[in-house]
Amino acid sequence: MRNALGYAAVVGQVVAVVAGAPLLTGWMRLVRARLEGRAGAGVLQPWRDARKLLRKEPVTPVGTGPAFRVAPALLVATTAVAAALVPLLSTATPVSGHADLIVVVALFALGTLALALAGLDTGTAFGGMGASREMTVAALVEPTILLSVFALSLPAGTTNIPAIVADALGQPARFASPAGLLAVAALAVAVLAETGRIPVDNPSTHLELTMIHEAMVLEYAGPDLALVELGAQMRLALLLGLLSSLFVPWGIATGASWAALAAAPVLCAVKVAVLGALLAAAEVCWAKVRLFRVPELLAGSFLLALLSVSASYFLNGAS
């Protein structure tokens, strides 16, 4: 029974991320539209866009190699594997022992690298510019994510994410500590940068002087573009889910209980929807920073993560 419950949790996490990511994007667009006084296209619009793209004929630019063709599928695949590892619904799954912090961050980095190589493979000025900017941002974001979660791993004594979440459920006061507050601030900025949201990037712009993610994928069309957009939406949903699992872990199943596992998707959806609404509302008030100021912003988040590790180390002792 425990094995069946664990496999059901893994499948549920992957399905929730794949099916719910476009809905989260549609929800965030709707919230932003309403705050700006517009009607909005509706929560299901990303799924309609994906259906339209999937019906089109795939087009590959002349001169591109395997990197361009493999990148969309690799982006979706790496994010789906990360979704199976991150404890969104349950901490007791057959893959929990492999859900190490380093592995999850490496999967995100692999997807980013695949898109950057695809942008370079096109041989266009926009592709190279976007790949260069994306790797610059990634070089600052990945260490921040590592340090932020590492600050939370010190009390648990492990970098295994399900173990960190399970340990945090028994000590809720930890989130109000200086280390916890610094870690959530640093990780929030890292999530904005990793998913290409304002103020680091604007996912709705195609201005050549400002775009980062969009510059790498300008040459994609049809089903390939649908996979690229789905992969980006999945990364956003998964990172918001990781943020909620680490800092608001209540509702995640920790034992062999079908009732707890049945309630976990609802609670996870509510938490992610709230985070998505807050992010959409913040984007209405924020402006995109200049490209040359982005490293300063990410360096500040890295400093916050470093301070959170130091605070966690001193609060929990040298042991």
Side-chain angles (χ1 to χ4, degrees):
M1 178 178 177
R2 181 179 293 274
N3 288 337
L5 189 68
Y7 285 114
V10 172
V11 173
Q13 290 180 174
V14 176
V15 171
V17 171
V18 175
L23 299 180
L24 174 63
T25 300
W27 163 248
M28 292 176 61
R29 291 176 182 174
L30 180 62
V31 170
R32 183 170 179 175
R34 294 297 173 83
L35 292 176
E36 293 175 346
R38 299 182 286 111
V43 176
L44 295 177
Q45 187 59 41
W47 272 118
R48 299 189 189 102
D49 294 338
R51 182 180 60 185
K52 178 180 67 175
L53 290 173
L54 289 172
R55 291 176 176 176
K56 293 186 176 182
E57 180 182 358
V59 178
T60 303
V62 177
T64 55
F68 183 84
R69 294 187 291 270
V70 172
L74 187 59
L75 176 65
V76 173
T78 54
T79 310
V81 173
L85 297 176
V86 174
L88 300 176
L89 305 182
S90 175
T91 59
T93 66
V95 297
S96 293
H98 306 286
D100 192 82
L101 168 63
I102 309 297
V103 175
V104 174
V105 173
L107 288 170
F108 281 116
L110 180 58
T112 300
L113 179 61
L115 276 188
L117 291 176
L120 292 173
D121 196 22
T122 60
T124 63
F126 281 150
M129 177 187 67
S132 175
R133 293 176 176 179
E134 182 73 9
M135 295 312 297
T136 301
V137 171
L140 296 171
V141 169
E142 309 299 345
T144 301
I145 297 177
L146 284 171
L147 285 179
S148 300
V149 183
F150 184 70
L152 303 176
S153 72
L154 287 176
T158 178
T159 56
N160 182 270
I161 298 180
I164 296 173
V165 173
D167 184 72
L169 283 169
Q171 304 180 38
R174 179 184 304 168
F175 303 111
S177 65
L181 296 177
L182 290 171
V184 70
L187 189 57
V189 176
V191 168
L192 294 178
E194 183 71 18
T195 56
R197 309 298 301 190
I198 295 176
V200 177
D201 191 15
N202 188 349
S204 61
T205 186
H206 284 84
L207 297 176
E208 62 273 13
L209 296 179
T210 61
M211 59 184 177
I212 299 177
H213 173 79
E214 295 298 324
M216 296 186 297
V217 302
L218 278 178
E219 302 298 324
Y220 281 110
D224 289 335
L225 181 57
L227 286 178
V228 169
E229 292 185 350
L230 177 61
Q233 293 163 359
M234 289 171 60
R235 286 165 74 97
L236 175 61
L238 181 57
L239 283 171
L240 290 182
L242 174 63
L243 193 63
S244 67
S245 295
L246 289 173
F247 297 99
V248 194
W250 298 278
I252 299 177
T254 57
S257 172
W258 286 101
L261 184 60
V266 178
L267 295 174
C268 180
V270 170
K271 291 186 290 185
V272 173
V274 170
L275 288 177
L278 292 175
L279 177 56
E283 288 182 338
V284 175
C285 305
W286 290 342
K288 184 186 178 302
V289 300
R290 295 179 58 190
L291 182 64
F292 296 113
R293 301 294 299 273
V294 170
E296 298 178 10
L297 175 65
L298 298 181
S301 67
F302 178 78
L303 179 60
L304 290 177
L306 191 60
L307 290 174
S308 69
V309 172
S310 301
S312 180
Y313 178 80
F314 287 112
L315 288 174
N316 294 277
S319 60

